[in-house]
Amino acid sequence: MKAVVLSAKWAPKSGFKLGPKDIDGKLTYLGSQVWKDPVVKVMDKAVPKIKPNEVLLKVKRCGICGSDVHMAQTYEDGYIYYPGLTAFPCTLGHEFSGEVVEVGTQAINKRTGKLFDKGEPVTVEEMWGCGECKPCCDGIPNHCERLQEIGFSVDGAYAEYVAAPAKLCWSLKKLEKRYKDIYKIGSLVEPTSVAYNAVIVRGGGIQPGENVVILGGGPIGLAATKILKTAGAQICIVSEPNEHRSALARKMGADYTINPQKENFVDKVKEYTDKEGAAIYLEETGLPQIVTDDIQNAIWECKAVNSTVVLVARSEQRMPVKGEYFQVRRARIIGSQGHSGHGIFFNVISCMASGMDMTPMITKEITLDQVPDNMKLLQTDRENCKISAKIS
Amino acid sequence: MKAVVLSAKWAPKSGFKLGPKDIDGKLTYLGSQVWKDPVVKVMDKAVPKIKPNEVLLKVKRCGICGSDVHMAQTYEDGYIYYPGLTAFPCTLGHEFSGEVVEVGTQAINKRTGKLFDKGEPVTVEEMWGCGECKPCCDGIPNHCERLQEIGFSVDGAYAEYVAAPAKLCWSLKKLEKRYKDIYKIGSLVEPTSVAYNAVIVRGGGIQPGENVVILGGGPIGLAATKILKTAGAQICIVSEPNEHRSALARKMGADYTINPQKENFVDKVKEYTDKEGAAIYLEETGLPQIVTDDIQNAIWECKAVNSTVVLVARSEQRMPVKGEYFQVRRARIIGSQGHSGHGIFFNVISCMASGMDMTPMITKEITLDQVPDNMKLLQTDRENCKISAKIS
Amino acid sequence: MKAVVLSAKWAPKSGFKLGPKDIDGKLTYLGSQVWKDPVVKVMDKAVPKIKPNEVLLKVKRCGICGSDVHMAQTYEDGYIYYPGLTAFPCTLGHEFSGEVVEVGTQAINKRTGKLFDKGEPVTVEEMWGCGECKPCCDGIPNHCERLQEIGFSVDGAYAEYVAAPAKLCWSLKKLEKRYKDIYKIGSLVEPTSVAYNAVIVRGGGIQPGENVVILGGGPIGLAATKILKTAGAQICIVSEPNEHRSALARKMGADYTINPQKENFVDKVKEYTDKEGAAIYLEETGLPQIVTDDIQNAIWECKAVNSTVVLVARSEQRMPVKGEYFQVRRARIIGSQGHSGHGIFFNVISCMASGMDMTPMITKEITLDQVPDNMKLLQTDRENCKISAKIS
Amino acid sequence: MKAVVLSAKWAPKSGFKLGPKDIDGKLTYLGSQVWKDPVVKVMDKAVPKIKPNEVLLKVKRCGICGSDVHMAQTYEDGYIYYPGLTAFPCTLGHEFSGEVVEVGTQAINKRTGKLFDKGEPVTVEEMWGCGECKPCCDGIPNHCERLQEIGFSVDGAYAEYVAAPAKLCWSLKKLEKRYKDIYKIGSLVEPTSVAYNAVIVRGGGIQPGENVVILGGGPIGLAATKILKTAGAQICIVSEPNEHRSALARKMGADYTINPQKENFVDKVKEYTDKEGAAIYLEETGLPQIVTDDIQNAIWECKAVNSTVVLVARSEQRMPVKGEYFQVRRARIIGSQGHSGHGIFFNVISCMASGMDMTPMITKEITLDQVPDNMKLLQTDRENCKISAKIS
């Protein structure tokens, strides 16, 4: 079968030490410290064999994520951008949907409580918890101590077929009533779930009628926009310098957009909310040294107490937090990572079933063969949001 | 000024003892034990004088509530239906909106943080906490130990003017952008807040994509329907035998309605939710001996864990609860009363400002003079939902 | 090896239908409908073989639970009392501690993140979630759709050796600092976890200084007493007719005990709490038709709002709930089942490590051979609380 | 009557502008920008007159708070240290207890629901919410938009008599059973409530068995230590360089203390908790630029997820937060201010009634006349914790 595979050289930087879960020459939790000279190619690979608790999926759709781009993008010294868990060579692709074509002897469909039937349409969680460590046993599998990630450390879905544990598969069946192409929207469940975890599960959601502010109009920010309008936000403001993304934000439900390079963020938040402020501020820019003051000054100058700042974008920069503002305004800062457990995938699919249509985020549709070029395109292109590969 | 006043005879039933907060001949917390032969009349009364922390409102709209009906409705022995706090004679009317026409020297507008301006459009909380007892100090004013209620124990808003404490007034200003008649929708803030308290504050709300079931298509049930769809409910089912109310429920956003007199409630919940069940079951029928089994059997036979049963309708009947069902399904039962505090009025107005239009609930518009007749009409009429008096 | 095995006849009552997860002749979720003429014997059995994700434990201690008693106790028609999941013949025993003597190739110790070492002291969760169904994936394994239970449907710990999945084992290592016999107290982790789940996880715990009332002085009630005093309860009242158990309740931290057969429960709660009432009422009697009024009248007559009634004892009887009391007092009823997940076992062991000594609950120590006789004794004896078998 | 009064010159720094709630020459929310050359004297003043909703208290005890010290302490340019709400001249003193000697006509005792009786022992909240603004109406009075503070902007309790609103008074009656001198411990309710708000209300408390780390052994840190041990903390670690305070921390229940100037904080947290880490980290040093890395590195290197960092000490410095650590460890940062509402005073008194004895924090007892000298002493003395004036 065809598959988009990333290979790279294991060339640890000086000073790098193998972590307790790293495997020499093969797997690391600190990708950018180790992997050099990545090559992405469409290759021919064997169809995966499944274990008893797995299903084999014929992949239908797979979207390109920023992480995919960063795994193949390098600094001047040849090291990859992506700093996280990686094991190369690896078939990439983790935002996907597919159809069950083979069923392990213990592969239960959560929708029916019975073995999967062939033909069931599903999407799959990206984070693969071990099910055995303390966080997994406590019900927080995306903080698994021995996490694997499909498309990063196990073979992913830019391929004609992919194997996945049944427990991580979620049926897309209920989307059939509303959508013609359930696989298209189904491939957006994973990124939408990252946003849902951030604003609903970790951020605690909103009470209908509260305001929200999203900083950054990337896919997670846009998904959060749609989710929070679905949850009854009175006013949703998206701050984003790129005009294409701002337009898309409005399409996804934003009541107002701010161009933080041309407008004063705090003034605009005050204006648009009549100084009420917001219940949730979602940091999705990855530029905390720039936006932290914007956020905390807005909290300080507006009237709302109990604001929650949710950090979803990754950054190695520090946030210069003024604790006093969080004391006087009864506010808080919350870290959010990934998406697993807590019914997140299930609820996201249910939202979609009742009309939360995320497909406007898909700005371009391609074939499997076009994935490597489009991963390159996204290194510079800011006009596209989600590029989606139609695989079968 | 004109006012609709209810008078009745203080005629305590044998065995009735004055409670600690009752006032002989004047006020009781157990209306139906004391008041006989009620008479409702349009009378001429003096315009109220305001205290320093109050405003005088020119009343614009006031809706008829079931409580109004029950205060004037009697059993065969002449005693009134309404069992709660009452002090007669009293001007009725507590679901209202009006315009500030006189401002006490300490009457602060929460919208601006300054004294009210004349002309500010407002609605008013119905439950008047004392601000001094332990529940009030703990932030739960609708469980005040010395509660007063406008339209029940202090003069209400079926009148040309009404006085109200500034702290219980909430500005309707932000409704101007969307609605031509802000006083019409503004008079629905109070009943909508009862529903909001029940399903959002007390019931804990939902995560977007969860299902809900409303038992009873009265005003609170319909308001809850709209609120929960606004909050992102996937499937909202309303169970209601009256066809007019069912039609109205669908208009307010219900995805399905059940006629529990003709259809099997549990079967229909299973069918419509694909056996998923619901996160919230709202009991708004007042018939717990009938619907408790429906609710707990639906919880038992569907798959959802963590369901919450919210009790909002009052009833003296007992609920025959099967505790085991609540254990096995990790479920709970929660009592909800009234609406005050917790930003409820503010959030309801914000929801309305962003499009949560409750006005389809108003099925008839009348004048102040027509209030007594329409209170009588509602003793038997099941086709109207909310009858709204346009007062000025 | 020696093992205490229960055998019984598969003799379904007329009308019994195999449930979807029942196995004809072998396993049912409705024990009392099927099993007849139970026989409990000490037998010789083979030492269990372990799977890769399991450990073999040399059992040190195993306590007798009421469920054990009810599996061997019969109605006049010969059917067993115990109504739940059972698969006979089965080695009983599920409240136990033991030492790791053999380690599967994937059997990770959550304490170290590495494979178990031989000699590690552990206790084991009783509820074995499948890890694959929706409740398991959502982090609620004790509501697993395909639950197994050790000592009920898989061989338990009244035996010299027992096999257990590593993910359900919790190290007792940290108890070594404080306790001489860590296996004795370690065998109480399981019943203590049932109480911890009820009052802390499901009941929401208390804020230090709040009051609590426990109805029923059985092992779960006594464990809850100790847990809630550990959590900072101001006043803990235990209602229990048996004088031995009342004395034990006071030993476990109860500030007051009520004999509900001789004293007026509501009056005593009012007296002991100065009419404050309680934040938590734990129903552990299994007699809801008797105690529901006691509880709801206490809630009604005391001043506390926000009381939580936690149902932990199983009963087929209905609770005659007065919804109005729960509305006026802002109260709620919560079902609690079992103990798994949520860090419960870990936290209970940590509590014990810092001084929460549950061993006074053990009123008698026996050998493995004496288990069958003592199971019989407990059918009538009300003076013992927990009988603990010292196995090796 | 005698009273300790602070006078100072209104001398706004250049650039200072009157805020919306400031009063020229009299009151500011930014003390250190305005007040110069403070003088503290024991003076003779008239006994206060009470309003209908107030009581007059004969003051029994009043403790010296760091804020008192900072109001009288100046930078080289003569401006006071204390940066907050101040209106001079003002009688200082806000950590106090007293006896009701005169009762306003509407002054209700929350303990009885009736007018106060003379002789009732009480303590008083320091933060006086207006009861009219949105935060007050929402149940968050310590975030009142027009807050007054006793001992800062209204006359306080270093005086023989003080007037206070009944709604802010909390009875100490229930302390009589356990304590000989209820006024001594009663004067500690206010600072204990600041800690209770921080770790229990804002920080969310702990589940029994979880670990906690307190940074800073000042009065709030010590109170938090005792509260969290009362709440069932397994291991409580206090980090504090001063040996006297460390010893006091151990006396208040700390299991371990760290001297962060001599020991490695992160290593010690790992050692004492066996790398488990903590559920709560309380920042009480006021030195966020120093301790933020300690806290976030401990969170990073230990195993616990879901840690909460509570900020209670005020500081104008920024915290250099690494957001990624809070994402990977599912952690959060929460601001906490003051203490009002939410039953906090009531619960603290209840905790004391059941044995949470805070009096070891009082290291010196003085007379009213000695207050000015001891306020000066505390500018440099680090050996005393709480100095308590016995006033009558």
Side-chain angles (χ1 to χ4, degrees), chain A residues 2-25:
Chain A
K2 271 203 262 188
V4 176
V5 177
L6 188 149
S7 308
K9 282 184 208 151
W10 179 272
K13 291 187 179 175
S14 75
F16 173 83
K17 286 196 299 186
L18 274 187
K21 290 167 282 184
D22 289 358
I23 303 168
D24 199 11

Side-chain angles (χ1 to χ4, degrees), chain C residues 61 89 100 111 115 165 215 269 293 296 302 350 371 388:
Chain C
R61 282 269 184 173
V100 171
R111 182 174 73 82
L115 287 182
L215 294 99
V269 170
D293 268 353
Q296 59 197 359
C302 291
S350 295
V371 167
S388 176

Side-chain angles (χ1 to χ4, degrees), chain A residues 111 174 196 208 276 303, chain B residues 111 174 196 208 230 276 303:
Chain A
R111 182 174 72 82
K174 66 163 67 165
Y196 191 98
E276 282 175 18
K303 289 185 283 184
Chain B
R111 182 174 72 81
K174 66 164 66 165
Y196 192 98
T230 299
E276 282 175 18
K303 289 185 284 183

Side-chain angles (χ1 to χ4, degrees), chain B residues 120-326:
Chain B
E120 185 84 4
V122 300
T123 186
V124 180
E125 299 187 33
E126 181 261 347
M127 305 180 89
W128 292 18
C130 71
E132 306 271 333
C133 68
K134 186 161 188 297
C136 279
C137 289
D138 287 352
I140 316 172
N142 53 337
H143 295 267
C144 173
E145 294 177 0
R146 290 175 297 151
L147 193 68
Q148 296 292 332
E149 294 181 78
I150 186 170
F152 296 82
S153 66
V154 295
D155 283 336
Y158 293 137
E160 291 174 85
Y161 295 92
V162 69
K167 73 172 182 177
L168 299 171
C169 296
W170 296 90
S171 173
L172 301 171
K173 199 90 185 170
K174 66 164 66 165
L175 299 177
E176 288 172 352
K177 275 191 202 161
R178 189 178 292 262
Y179 302 94
K180 271 190 218 161
D181 185 349
I182 62 172
Y183 292 108
K184 182 176 177 182
I185 187 165
S187 72
L188 294 169
V189 172
E190 197 273 346
T192 305
S193 293
V194 173
Y196 192 98
N197 184 42
V199 295
I200 302 298
V201 177
R202 291 294 293 144
I206 55 169
Q207 292 199 331
E210 293 185 325
N211 300 328
V212 298
V213 176
I214 313 290
L215 294 98
I220 304 307
L222 294 177
T225 298
K226 190 81 177 180
I227 292 165
L228 288 165
K229 287 304 289 185
T230 299
Q234 179 193 204
I235 294 165
C236 176
I237 301 170
V238 175
S239 176
E240 164 60 48
N242 182 288
E243 287 305 325
H244 290 88
R245 300 224 154 166
S246 286
L248 202 45
R250 288 188 295 271
K251 216 169 169 179
M252 298 298 281
D255 299 286
Y256 301 97
T257 52
I258 297 172
N259 183 332
Q261 294 174 347
K262 298 185 180 163
E263 299 174 299
N264 181 296
F265 174 86
V266 176
D267 287 350
K268 285 296 167 183
V269 170
K270 287 162 70 176
E271 176 188 338
Y272 295 145
T273 67
D274 197 17
K275 286 196 69 171
E276 282 175 18
I280 289 181
Y281 292 83
L282 181 69
E283 156 39 13
E284 206 257 311
T285 66
L287 304 167
Q289 84 284 27
I290 293 175
V291 302
T292 298
D293 267 354
D294 278 351
I295 296 172
Q296 60 197 358
N297 287 333
I299 290 174
W300 182 251
E301 296 189 23
C302 291
K303 289 185 284 183
V305 287
N306 291 325
S307 294
T308 297
V309 180
V310 182
L311 310 179
V312 69
R314 285 295 176 93
S315 172
E316 293 178 6
Q317 299 165 355
R318 286 161 182 261
M319 303 175 63
V321 170
K322 292 189 187 174
E324 200 168 12
Y325 286 15
F326 289 80

Side-chain angles (χ1 to χ4, degrees), chain C residues 111 174 196 208 276 303, chain D residues 111 174 196 208 230 276 303:
Chain C
R111 182 174 73 82
K174 66 163 68 163
Y196 192 99
E276 283 176 17
K303 289 185 284 183
Chain D
R111 183 174 72 82
K174 68 164 64 165
Y196 192 98
T230 298
E276 283 176 15
K303 289 184 283 183

Side-chain angles (χ1 to χ4, degrees), chain A residues 110-112 174 177 196 200-201 207-210 227 229-234 256 274 276 303 342 346-347 350-351 353-354, chain B residues 110-112 174 177 196 200-201 207-210 227 229-234 256 274 276 303 342 346-347 350-351 353-354:
Chain A
K110 285 185 292 293
R111 182 174 72 82
T112 59
K174 66 163 67 165
K177 275 191 202 160
Y196 191 98
I200 302 298
V201 177
Q207 292 199 331
E210 293 185 325
I227 291 165
K229 287 304 288 184
T230 299
Q234 177 192 205
Y256 301 98
D274 197 16
E276 282 175 18
K303 289 185 283 184
H342 299 91
F346 185 80
N347 284 345
S350 295
C351 284
S354 61
Chain B
K110 288 186 289 293
R111 182 174 72 81
T112 60
K174 66 164 66 165
K177 275 191 202 161
Y196 192 98
I200 302 298
V201 177
Q207 292 199 331
E210 293 185 325
I227 292 165
K229 287 304 289 185
T230 299
Q234 179 193 204
Y256 301 97
D274 197 17
E276 282 175 18
K303 289 185 284 183
H342 299 92
F346 184 82
N347 285 345
S350 296
C351 284
S354 61

Side-chain angles (χ1 to χ4, degrees), chain C residues 24-305:
Chain C
D24 198 11
K26 168 70 186 150
L27 178 153
T28 179
Y29 276 76
L30 294 169
S32 55
Q33 300 301 306
V34 168
W35 298 111
K36 217 177 157 175
D37 304 337
V39 180
V40 178
K41 270 197 215 154
V42 180
M43 295 175 59
D44 194 61
K45 291 192 67 167
V47 172
K49 305 268 183 228
I50 58 171
K51 296 178 197 153
N53 64 351
E54 291 186 336
V55 290
L56 185 70
L57 303 175
K58 184 169 172 57
V59 181
K60 295 289 189 174
R61 282 269 184 173
C62 187
I64 301 180
C65 172
S67 312
D68 296 330
V69 176
H70 291 158
M71 281 189 279
Q73 189 168 9
T74 58
Y75 294 99
E76 291 198 356
D77 60 5
Y79 283 92
I80 67 170
Y81 274 32
Y82 187 73
L85 171 64
T86 32
F88 299 137
C90 186
T91 303
L92 303 184
H94 60 272
E95 301 183 354
F96 68 102
S97 55
E99 184 186 328
V100 171
V101 293
E102 204 184 316
V103 181
T105 54
Q106 300 161 22
I108 298 290
N109 182 352
K110 286 186 290 293
R111 182 174 73 82
T112 60
K114 297 177 189 163
L115 287 182
F116 266 105
D117 287 318
K118 289 185 191 179
E120 185 85 2
V122 300
T123 186
V124 180
E125 299 187 34
E126 182 261 349
M127 306 179 89
W128 293 19
C130 72
E132 307 271 334
C133 68
K134 186 163 187 299
C136 279
C137 288
D138 287 352
I140 316 173
N142 53 337
H143 295 267
C144 173
E145 294 177 359
R146 290 175 296 152
L147 194 68
Q148 296 292 332
E149 295 180 77
I150 186 170
F152 296 82
S153 67
V154 296
D155 283 335
Y158 293 136
E160 292 174 85
Y161 296 92
V162 68
K167 73 171 181 178
L168 299 172
C169 295
W170 296 90
S171 173
L172 300 172
K173 198 90 186 169
K174 66 163 68 163
L175 299 178
E176 288 173 353
K177 275 191 204 163
R178 189 178 291 263
Y179 301 94
K180 271 190 220 162
D181 185 350
I182 63 173
Y183 292 109
K184 182 176 177 182
I185 187 165
S187 72
L188 293 170
V189 171
E190 197 274 345
T192 304
S193 293
V194 173
Y196 192 99
N197 185 43
V199 294
I200 302 298
V201 176
R202 291 294 293 143
I206 53 169
Q207 292 199 331
E210 292 185 326
N211 300 328
V212 297
V213 176
I214 313 290
L215 294 99
I220 303 308
L222 295 177
T225 297
K226 189 83 178 177
I227 291 165
L228 287 166
K229 287 304 289 185
T230 298
Q234 179 194 204
I235 294 165
C236 176
I237 300 170
V238 174
S239 176
E240 164 60 47
N242 181 287
E243 288 305 324
H244 290 88
R245 298 224 157 168
S246 286
L248 202 44
R250 288 188 295 271
K251 214 169 171 180
M252 297 298 279
D255 298 286
Y256 301 98
T257 52
I258 296 171
N259 183 332
Q261 292 174 347
K262 298 185 181 164
E263 298 174 298
N264 182 295
F265 175 85
V266 175
D267 288 348
K268 285 295 168 184
V269 170
K270 286 162 71 176
E271 176 188 336
Y272 295 145
T273 67
D274 196 18
K275 286 195 70 171
E276 283 176 17
I280 290 181
Y281 292 83
L282 181 69
E283 158 36 16
E284 206 256 311
T285 66
L287 303 167
Q289 84 283 26
I290 293 174
V291 301
T292 299
D293 268 353
D294 278 350
I295 295 172
Q296 59 197 359
N297 287 334
I299 290 173
W300 182 250
E301 296 189 23
C302 291
K303 289 185 284 183
V305 288

